[in-house]
């Protein structure tokens, strides 16, 4: 299913950027202003080089973003001519010296991609499947969350886009972003600890179901062509049996194709710990557990037992809401990066 997989929504939106420049700054185009606004966004504390910077990414202000990316797409990339065998081109009268049509965008676009938990309320379990209407509810809930946590940054960026002039509230931003929505079938991550049971096709069953009536049809056609008017032992008309069998074979083939397409569209189920709070908690526990290992090398059985008990009491491994790593940081080493 487009957009939804593993309990996450893979959001893609394209907002067309206005041409020209604003009346109060005729020296700078809207495209350049959008780029400047994006360049001013602080990055997450995602590496040793950015770990001690003053500001964190505004996308780290909520616990639904696994990944987020915004950029200006000024035009599509030209991949060159569609190649063709020169002999066939000559036969078809295709002059390869003439330029082919080139795809162009009608305007620069602000592209926003995000990988988010497919939920409408923080703390909800990840869904296995969602109707298109439910997916829209998730997108709008997420957009309202973004507006509540980074309205100032969003306004500076999207004020350069068509249609944003009337956006003043979280609900209006949710409607605006939904109008810019583009379906995607490209997941951005995979947290599976154990691979799920994939939607494998029952290939042999489908193949036999299609071939069986086709083989019967072929045999009865041969009998009819050699002058046998009835199927031996059954007494059916070979001509009628041939027509019916071939028709059933084609019908089963169509059904098999439809089933394969439907099976491929089904989203994979979410993993056991795929939601962002669980991921952040796992990162936190992993680091603290490593410290426990190092600090207790060579400890006696009783000391190790006591240390592990203190670890459980202090770090609360089963509580995703406290003693966990904050979003947008690379390490839980500093207390400022920990949600108490």
């Amino acid at each position: 299913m487009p957009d939804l997989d593993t309990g996450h929504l893979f959001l893609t939106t394209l907002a067309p950027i206005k041409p020209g420049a604003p009346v109060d700054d005729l020296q700078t185009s809207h495209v350049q202003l959008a780029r400047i606004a994006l360049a001013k966004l602080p990055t997450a504390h995602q590496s040793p080089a950015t770990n001690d910077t003053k500001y964190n990414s505004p996308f780290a202000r909520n616990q639904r973003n696994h990944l987020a990316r915004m950029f200006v797409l000024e035009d599509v990339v030209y991949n060159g001519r569609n190649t063709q065998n020169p002999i066939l081109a000559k036969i078809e009268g295709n002059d390869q010296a003439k330029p082919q049509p080139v795809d162009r965008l009608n305007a620069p676009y602000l592209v926003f991609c995000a990988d988010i938990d497919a939920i409408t309320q923080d703390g909800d379990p990840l869904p296995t499947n969602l109707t298109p209407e439910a997916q829209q509810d998730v997108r709008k809930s997420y957009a309202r969350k973004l507006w509540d946590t980074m309205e100032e940054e969003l306004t500076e960026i999207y004020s350069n886009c068509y249609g944003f002039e009337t956006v003043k509230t979280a609900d209006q931003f949710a409607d605006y972003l939904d109008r810019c929505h583009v379906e995607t079938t490209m997941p951005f991550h995979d947290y599976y600890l154990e691979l799920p049971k994939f939607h494998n096709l029952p290939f042999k069953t489908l193949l036999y179901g299609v071939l069986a009536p086709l083989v019967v049809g072929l045999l009865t056609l041969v009998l009819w062509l050699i002058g046998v008017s009835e199927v031996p032992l059954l007494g059916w008309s070979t001509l009628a049996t041939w027509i019916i069998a071939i028709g059933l074979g084609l019908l089963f083939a169509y059904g098999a194709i439809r089933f394969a397409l439907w099976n491929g569209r089904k989203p994979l189920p979410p993993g056991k710990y795929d939601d962002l709070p669980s991921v952040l908690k796992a990162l936190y526990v992993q680091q603290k557990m490593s410290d426990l290992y190092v600090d207790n090398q060579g400890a006696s059985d009783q000391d190790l037992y006591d240390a592990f008990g203190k670890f459980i009491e202090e770090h609360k491994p089963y509580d995703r809401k406290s003693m966990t790593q904050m979003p947008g940081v690379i390490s839980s080493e500093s207390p400022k990066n920990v949600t108490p």
Side-chain angles (χ1 to χ4, degrees), residues 268-285:
L268 292 174
K272 189 175 181 180
Y273 304 108
D274 272 14
D275 59 290
L276 187 60
S278 294
V279 173
L280 294 172
K281 185 68 177 187
L283 292 172
Y284 173 84
V285 172

Side-chain angles (χ1 to χ4, degrees), residues 94-278:
N94 180 11
D95 188 351
Q96 294 189 304
K98 291 183 179 180
Q100 293 177 336
V102 177
D103 292 331
R104 302 293 300 271
L105 294 179
N106 58 357
Y109 282 83
L110 175 66
V111 182
F112 174 42
C113 303
D115 169 4
I116 63 173
D117 288 340
I119 56 177
T120 56
Q121 296 291 334
D122 289 348
D124 285 351
L126 298 181
T128 298
N129 206 344
L130 291 174
T131 65
E133 293 76 19
Q135 287 192 35
Q136 184 182 51
D137 290 341
V138 170
R139 292 196 301 269
K140 289 192 172 185
S141 173
Y142 171 68
R144 288 191 289 268
K145 190 79 171 179
L146 277 185
W147 187 265
D148 291 340
T149 53
M150 52 182 295
E151 174 185 349
E152 182 178 346
E153 292 88 349
L154 291 173
T155 300
E156 183 177 4
I157 297 168
Y158 278 97
S159 60
N160 299 289
C161 298
Y162 279 109
F164 191 76
E165 301 83 4
T166 60
V167 176
K168 306 296 179 185
T169 67
D171 287 335
Q172 290 172 343
F173 179 68
D175 291 337
Y176 176 79
L177 209 61
D178 202 54
R179 293 197 301 272
C180 299
H181 167 243
V182 177
E183 288 187 343
T184 180
T185 54
M186 290 199 309
F188 309 146
H189 82 267
D190 177 9
Y191 289 132
Y192 281 127
L193 296 176
E194 297 179 1
L195 288 179
K197 184 177 180 181
F198 291 99
H199 308 311
N200 296 322
L201 280 174
F203 180 74
K204 289 185 178 180
T205 302
L206 294 176
L207 181 63
Y208 295 155
V210 172
L211 289 181
L214 292 179
V215 170
V216 171
L218 179 61
L219 292 176
T220 52
L221 174 61
V222 172
L223 291 175
W224 179 71
L225 290 175
I226 62 176
V228 179
S229 60
E230 293 184 351
V231 179
L233 302 178
L234 298 177
W236 299 343
S237 167
T238 51
L239 178 60
T241 303
W242 166 64
I243 295 174
I244 294 172
I246 293 297
L248 286 175
L250 295 176
L251 181 62
F252 289 169
Y254 174 78
I257 293 172
R258 296 287 297 180
F259 177 81
L261 294 175
W262 170 81
N263 189 71
R265 283 195 297 265
K266 290 190 299 183
L268 292 174
K272 189 175 181 180
Y273 304 108
D274 272 14
D275 59 290
L276 187 60
S278 294

Side-chain angles (χ1 to χ4, degrees), residues 12-31:
T12 302
T13 66
L14 277 76
I17 299 176
K18 301 174 185 176
V23 294
D24 57 346
D25 186 7
L26 296 177
Q27 305 303 314
T28 311
S29 68
H30 284 290
V31 172

